[in-house]
């Protein structure tokens, strides 16, 4: 995969965070050859895009803010770096000891009771989770860069999800569903497949 200069810099900083963190902006600066301004810009962006987050704020003396990785940060950079792929289990062992990271896993749907009590199983699930959602990120990136090559039905399907919270479009959609039997049939087929998938999911969770 071709990596932009911007992502190369972000990746280098993310690897410093996961190998040496939680750490402050100035600690990251001492462990790299980058200007503090560059690190600050990338940290700010990675916080905004949820690749890293604040782990600790120390009020003793000068205020110090320490940063660590998010689950999404691992997903995003896993796609770009073989070292992260190779050492993913080790990173899990390191960061599972941090409460903030555990909270992030819980938000993503990891079994709250098993995250720490069954670390071996959680590690396997973590690896599969990263692998799967990294694949999704790759597909989304492909979609953005090669939209003209994506089949129309898939573009419409994904675009429809993005319009769910826009009332003006949903009113038009409701009218189309009422007046177009072919569209109703497509929706019915989709819902039936979703119900079937949900039924299988319920059996798995019993």
């Amino acid at each position: 995969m071709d990596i932009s200069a911007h992502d190369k810099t972000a990746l280098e900083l993310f690897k410093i965070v996961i190998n040496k963190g939680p750490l402050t902006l100035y600690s990251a600066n001492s462990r790299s050859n980058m200007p503090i301004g560059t690190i600050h810009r990338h940290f700010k962006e990675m916080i905004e895009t949820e690749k890293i987050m604040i782990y600790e704020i120390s009020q003793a003396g000068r205020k110090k803010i320490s940063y660590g990785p998010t689950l999404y940060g691992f997903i995003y950079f896993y796609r770009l770096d073989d070292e992260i792929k190779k050492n993913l289990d080790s990173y899990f062992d390191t960061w599972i000891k941090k409460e903030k990271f555990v909270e992030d896993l819980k938000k993503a749907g990891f079994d709250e009771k098993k995250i720490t009590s069954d670390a071996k199983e959680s590690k396997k699930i973590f690896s599969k989770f990263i692998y799967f959602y990294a694949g999704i990120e790759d597909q989304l990136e492909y979609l953005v860069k090669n939209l003209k090559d994506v089949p129309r039905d898939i573009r419409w399907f994904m675009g429809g999800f993005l319009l769910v919270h826009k009332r003006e479009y949903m009113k038009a959609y409701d009218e189309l569903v009422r007046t177009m039997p072919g569209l109703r049939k497509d929706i019915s087929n989709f819902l039936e497949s979703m119900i079937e998938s949900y039924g299988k999911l319920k059996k798995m969770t019993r």
Side-chain angles (χ1 to χ4, degrees), residues 178-196:
R178 286 197 305 271
T179 57
M180 296 178 64
L183 181 59
R184 285 200 303 275
K185 183 179 179 182
D186 288 343
I187 294 171
S188 177
N189 290 339
F190 171 73
L191 290 175
E192 284 178 6
S193 66
M194 290 294 289
I195 291 169
E196 183 180 348

Side-chain angles (χ1 to χ4, degrees), residues 136 139-144 147 150-164 190:
I136 289 178
Q139 290 302 305
L140 289 173
E141 187 171 294
Y142 176 86
L143 183 68
V144 170
L147 189 60
V150 178
R152 182 197 64 187
D153 291 348
I154 293 177
R155 295 202 308 268
W156 285 3
F157 178 75
M158 296 186 69
F161 274 109
L162 299 176
L163 289 178
V164 167
F190 171 73

Side-chain angles (χ1 to χ4, degrees), residues 6-205:
H6 180 274
D7 269 350
K8 284 181 180 177
T9 302
L11 172 60
E12 182 179 339
L13 288 171
F14 185 77
K15 288 172 72 174
I16 291 173
V17 169
I18 59 178
N19 285 307
K20 303 295 183 181
L23 45 67
T24 65
L25 189 70
Y26 296 99
S27 296
N29 180 236
S30 69
R31 289 174 167 81
S32 76
N33 296 318
M34 298 179 203
I36 190 71
T38 299
I39 297 173
H40 181 266
R41 285 195 303 274
H42 277 275
F43 266 40
K44 182 180 179 182
E45 182 185 281
M46 286 195 285
I47 290 169
E48 290 173 351
T49 54
E50 300 182 352
K51 297 182 182 80
I52 63 173
M53 62 181 170
I54 294 173
Y55 270 57
E56 302 167 6
I57 299 178
S58 173
Q59 299 290 354
R62 186 177 179 180
K63 185 178 180 180
K64 295 180 180 179
I65 302 175
S66 297
Y67 302 92
T70 63
L71 180 60
Y72 176 64
F74 275 111
I75 290 168
Y76 186 86
F77 291 109
Y78 173 94
R79 303 158 48 243
L80 309 180
D81 187 73
D82 289 338
E83 185 180 336
I84 291 178
K85 292 178 182 177
K86 181 181 177 181
N87 297 317
L88 198 59
D89 283 355
S90 177
Y91 291 132
F92 179 85
D93 289 337
T94 297
W95 290 97
I96 197 64
K97 299 170 186 173
K98 304 295 181 182
E99 185 178 346
K100 284 285 187 180
F101 191 70
V102 172
E103 289 175 2
D104 206 32
L105 295 182
K106 290 177 183 177
K107 288 178 184 176
F110 281 71
D111 190 322
E112 187 172 344
K113 295 178 181 178
K114 291 185 178 180
I115 289 176
T116 52
S117 65
D118 191 350
K120 185 177 180 180
E121 180 64 19
S122 294
K123 188 187 299 184
K124 289 181 182 178
I125 295 170
F126 176 74
S127 295
K128 289 179 181 178
F129 189 95
I130 298 294
Y131 172 78
F132 178 76
Y133 282 96
I136 289 178
E137 285 289 317
D138 281 338
Q139 290 302 305
L140 289 173
E141 187 171 294
Y142 176 86
L143 183 68
V144 170
K145 292 180 178 178
N146 304 278
L147 189 60
K148 63 182 178 61
D149 297 330
V150 178
R152 182 197 64 187
D153 291 348
I154 293 177
R155 295 202 308 268
W156 285 3
F157 178 75
M158 296 186 69
F161 274 109
L162 299 176
L163 289 178
V164 167
H165 297 295
K166 297 183 181 291
R167 290 185 179 179
E168 65 273 24
Y169 287 102
M170 287 299 97
K171 288 180 180 178
Y173 180 73
D174 289 344
E175 186 174 344
L176 291 173
V177 171
R178 286 197 305 271
T179 57
M180 296 178 64
L183 181 59
R184 285 200 303 275
K185 183 179 179 182
D186 288 343
I187 294 171
S188 177
N189 290 339
F190 171 73
L191 290 175
E192 284 178 6
S193 66
M194 290 294 289
I195 291 169
E196 183 180 348
S197 297
Y198 179 68
K200 292 178 180 178
L201 179 64
K202 284 192 72 174
K203 289 179 181 178
M204 290 171 62
T205 56

